[in-house]
Amino acid sequence: MEELRAARRAEYRRLRERRRRGLSGLAKYLIVLNAFCLAMVAWLYLPRAGGVGGLASPTSLADGAAKPGPLQLVGAAGLVPTPLPALGGPLQAGPVPILMYHYVRTVDQAADPLGYGLSVTPAQFDEQMRWLHDNGYATVTMATAQRCIQGEPACPAKTVALTFDDGYLDAYTEALPVLQRYGFVATFYVVDSFVGQPPYMSWEQIVAMHRNGMEIGSHTLDHIDLSQAASAEVLRQAADSKREIEAKIGAPISSFCYPSGRYNADTVAQVRAAGFSNATTTRYDNDYSDMLTLPRRRIEGGKGLDVFASLVQEPTALRAGWYRAG
């Protein structure tokens, strides 16, 4: 009897030891699994050199933009975008402030008052982009802004679209390095017949802009007043410009800008027929109902940072109460 009891106690000890080893192995497995999951989260979401994990940079939401290639800029070689922390807050559909730039240069107001009003200095532009950066704004191309306004997809509450008219050379030499410094994107509207002439960008520079994540849009073939042109000429100015730009950059384009902001119902119809899905005006209001007549905020020379901030914040504030039927 005593031998039987001893045997049972030995068997009990063996079972208990086996259970203990089994639990220890399970604990080790769970620890390893947990560590693996944490590593994956860190890889996906935490900043790393050259970008933000395996996701697109939260500071720029480009739609169909080319992957950045080697950047070759005068005086800006080796420029690397600075990744920003992830933006908080809910995603929203609704108005996106669209800012309108022309020149980034220094102009004497007395000698050229018109040019002064159309220009921001390189220092002012850097200050404005730094304000967007420090206040948690994301930038989008116009192709993405269109989808944000329509609610597909919704964008961060603090979203802004930067646009540059005419294709001036300083867009390449002055604006692009600053945009890359802050990890921003923008849309550049070019006039085909101006390309390669002083003081405009060359096709090579325009292609480089596209390859570095910027959107290229059309500003017509010849920058004529479309509201005074015949329907056939409006269609030619829009459609032929679209075809030439697409052939040069090797990618489709969807964004258009009316020269001097002039348009009418027929102009809009011909731009739509040419295959564009969004177009900007020089109108300053909050009517975002038509994707082919979108309003913009003109960024003028000589204005303080407080004016810039108010232009950005007004349509941003509207997003909270935005509603689109259907």
Side-chain angles (χ1 to χ4, degrees):
M1 181 65 70
E2 187 60 33
E3 291 178 357
L4 181 59
R5 289 177 181 169
R8 286 178 177 174
R9 282 197 296 270
E11 181 64 22
Y12 174 74
R13 282 194 297 271
R14 282 195 297 272
L15 289 173
R16 186 171 58 182
E17 180 63 22
R18 194 176 303 155
R19 260 192 229 105
R20 187 187 66 77
R21 285 198 300 268
L23 289 173
S24 176
L26 178 61
K28 290 178 182 177
Y29 172 78
L30 291 175
I31 290 171
V32 171
L33 180 61
N34 187 50
F36 175 77
C37 291
L38 289 174
M40 288 299 296
V41 170
W43 186 86
L44 286 170
Y45 293 103
L46 295 182
R48 299 201 312 273
V52 182
L55 303 180
S57 169
T59 61
S60 59
L61 304 176
D63 184 70
K67 292 182 179 179
L71 178 61
Q72 297 179 347
L73 289 173
V74 176
L79 202 58
V80 178
T82 302
L84 300 184
L87 299 173
L91 299 180
Q92 297 179 337
V96 173
I98 305 169
L99 308 186
M100 173 174 53
Y101 288 92
H102 285 81
Y103 298 96
V104 181
R105 61 176 183 170
T106 300
V107 176
D108 186 306
Q109 184 177 13
D112 185 4
L114 177 61
Y116 179 81
L118 292 173
S119 307
V120 297
T121 68
Q124 286 174 324
F125 184 66
D126 185 272
E127 181 183 42
Q128 292 165 0
M129 297 303 101
R130 186 169 64 251
W131 184 90
L132 292 175
H133 170 285
D134 293 346
N135 285 275
Y137 277 85
T139 58
V140 293
T141 63
M142 281 307 304
T144 300
Q146 173 194 336
R147 298 174 63 205
C148 292
I149 295 166
Q150 293 174 319
E152 180 205 353
C155 282
K158 286 188 171 183
T159 299
V160 62
L162 310 174
T163 67
F164 293 77
D165 289 12
D166 303 324
Y168 294 110
L169 179 60
D170 54 52
Y172 180 80
T173 59
E174 302 293 342
L176 181 58
V178 176
L179 293 171
Q180 290 231 322
R181 184 177 306 131
Y182 293 107
F184 288 164
V185 295
T187 297
F188 295 84
Y189 299 113
V190 300
V191 182
D192 294 50
S193 64
F194 292 178
V195 176
Q197 300 182 31
Y200 299 94
M201 290 186 285
S202 66
W203 280 117
E204 182 180 14
Q205 291 163 334
I206 291 168
V207 169
M209 298 276 274
H210 171 69
R211 288 178 178 171
N212 282 280
M214 305 300 142
E215 180 186 26
I216 307 302
S218 169
H219 205 26
T220 71
L221 289 172
D222 304 302
H223 203 276
I224 66 170
D225 182 350
L226 297 180
S227 67
Q228 300 299 312
S231 296
E233 177 61 13
V234 175
L235 182 60
R236 186 183 78 87
Q237 287 283 329
D240 286 4
S241 172
K242 186 176 191 293
R243 279 192 290 269
E244 182 171 7
I245 294 171
E246 290 176 340
K248 293 292 186 181
I249 68 173
I253 67 170
S254 60
S255 302
F256 185 84
C257 177
Y258 302 103
S260 303
R262 298 194 176 102
Y263 67 95
N264 55 34
D266 181 66
T267 304
V268 174
Q270 300 310 319
V271 168
R272 179 180 286 109
F276 292 98
S277 59
N278 73 82
T280 52
T281 69
T282 57
R283 220 180 58 243
Y284 183 173
D285 56 39
N286 291 313
D287 183 0
Y288 291 78
S289 60
D290 188 342
M291 294 303 104
L292 288 171
T293 59
L294 292 169
R296 289 191 292 175
R297 270 66 179 158
R298 183 188 296 273
I299 306 302
E300 299 181 84
K303 303 296 183 182
L305 192 59
D306 56 333
V307 175
F308 175 82
S310 67
L311 292 174
V312 174
Q313 291 168 334
E314 180 186 355
T316 300
L318 291 174
R319 292 172 70 83
W322 179 257
Y323 173 76
R324 288 185 63 84

